[in-house]
């Protein structure tokens, strides 16, 4: 592994999604737009032996079993995204009760165990779950990269503002993949 990547983990937030809520159609369309870049990021992680950590809403199931979450979320709209981006058996999968990937999850403990201090964060919704996760990562003093072409929100202006905040306040690198 490249020495500069030895402390890096990739975190994918809420990509297993049913898009079945107010604003879900917009989020679905914007997620489809970033899907080629998410695929590149996942491939980059695999090629460089970086841990892929999926942190996802639990949808009331409260089980950290990505197959159960997939079965719950899969529908005509979400199927393609889920099939392409679903975790592999050797990836990590955590559920979260709220917006942040860190709030009441074992993510920080996992990153400590893996000796990772640099995070590449991607997924949806950028102006909520990625933003809150990046805020927590910043507070825990991780180095953060949120590629602007790997994050989507219901509204593009909200997505852009969240990227602005992550870059200016949380010192996140937002360069694209």
């Amino acid at each position: 592994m490249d020495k500069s990547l030895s402390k890096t983990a990739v975190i994918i937030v809420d990509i297993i999604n049913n898009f079945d809520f107010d604003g879900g159609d917009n989020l679905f369309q914007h997620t489809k737009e970033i899907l080629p870049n998410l695929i590149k990021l996942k491939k980059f992680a695999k090629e460089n032996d970086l841990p892929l950590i999926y942190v996802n809403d639990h949808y009331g199931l409260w089980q950290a079993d990505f197959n159960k979450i997939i079965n719950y979320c899969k529908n005509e709209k979400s199927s393609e995204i889920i099939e392409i981006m679903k975790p592999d058996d050797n990836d990590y999968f955590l559920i979260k009760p709220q917006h942040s990937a860190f709030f009441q999850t074992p993510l920080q403990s996992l990153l400590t165990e893996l000796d990772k201090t640099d995070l590449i964060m991607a997924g949806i919704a950028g102006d909520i779950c990625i933003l809150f996760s990046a805020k927590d990562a910043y507070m825990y003093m991780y180095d953060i990269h949120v590629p602007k072409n790997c994050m989507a929100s219901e509204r593009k202006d909200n997505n852009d503002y969240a990227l602005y905040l992550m870059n200016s306040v949380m010192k996140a690198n937002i360069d694209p993949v």
Side-chain angles (χ1 to χ4, degrees):
M1 180 188 321
D2 182 329
K3 178 72 171 150
S4 64
L5 295 174
S6 66
K7 296 284 191 175
T8 303
V10 176
I11 299 172
I12 307 287
V13 178
D14 286 342
I15 202 64
I16 301 172
N17 198 298
N18 63 13
F19 301 99
D20 187 20
F21 49 87
D22 286 341
D25 288 339
N26 287 339
L27 184 58
F28 170 73
Q29 288 304 323
H30 297 152
T31 303
K32 289 278 289 179
E33 291 170 16
I34 67 165
L35 188 57
N37 300 312
L38 291 172
I39 294 166
K40 284 182 199 172
L41 179 59
K42 185 175 179 178
K43 183 178 179 196
F44 174 81
K46 296 291 184 184
E47 288 173 351
N48 289 281
D49 199 29
L50 303 180
L52 260 170
I53 305 168
Y54 289 77
V55 186
N56 216 90
D57 286 336
H58 59 77
Y59 290 95
L61 301 176
W62 283 104
Q63 294 185 23
D65 178 340
F66 67 82
N67 288 310
K68 288 183 180 180
I69 304 289
I70 285 170
N71 288 339
Y72 181 85
C73 289
K74 212 173 215 186
N75 58 41
E76 188 175 300
K77 194 185 306 181
S78 66
S79 284
E80 178 189 5
I81 294 168
I82 290 173
E83 278 306 310
I84 291 171
M85 289 304 299
K86 70 182 178 185
D88 295 335
D89 287 337
N90 59 342
D91 294 331
Y92 299 93
F93 185 80
L94 308 173
I95 56 172
K96 62 185 180 67
Q98 293 277 328
H99 307 305
S100 173
F102 288 91
F103 180 71
Q104 296 184 355
T105 75
L107 180 57
Q108 186 181 13
S109 295
L110 175 60
L111 292 168
T112 299
E113 179 76 18
L114 296 173
D115 194 27
K116 303 302 177 186
T117 57
D118 302 341
L119 309 180
I120 301 172
M121 303 177 81
I124 58 178
D127 61 339
I128 304 170
C129 298
I130 304 289
L131 179 63
F132 284 50
S133 299
K135 184 270 306 172
D136 285 348
Y138 176 74
M139 296 297 288
Y140 289 128
M141 298 189 284
Y142 289 101
D143 288 324
I144 313 163
H145 182 188
V146 182
K148 63 185 172 186
N149 62 349
C150 289
M151 182 181 101
S153 302
E154 290 177 27
R155 293 181 36 175
K156 289 194 180 225
D157 57 337
N158 289 356
N159 201 66
D160 291 343
Y161 187 63
L163 285 163
Y164 163 77
L165 288 174
M166 286 183 265
N167 180 248
S168 65
V169 177
M170 299 160 218
K171 312 301 182 225
N173 174 351
I174 61 168
D175 292 341
V177 293

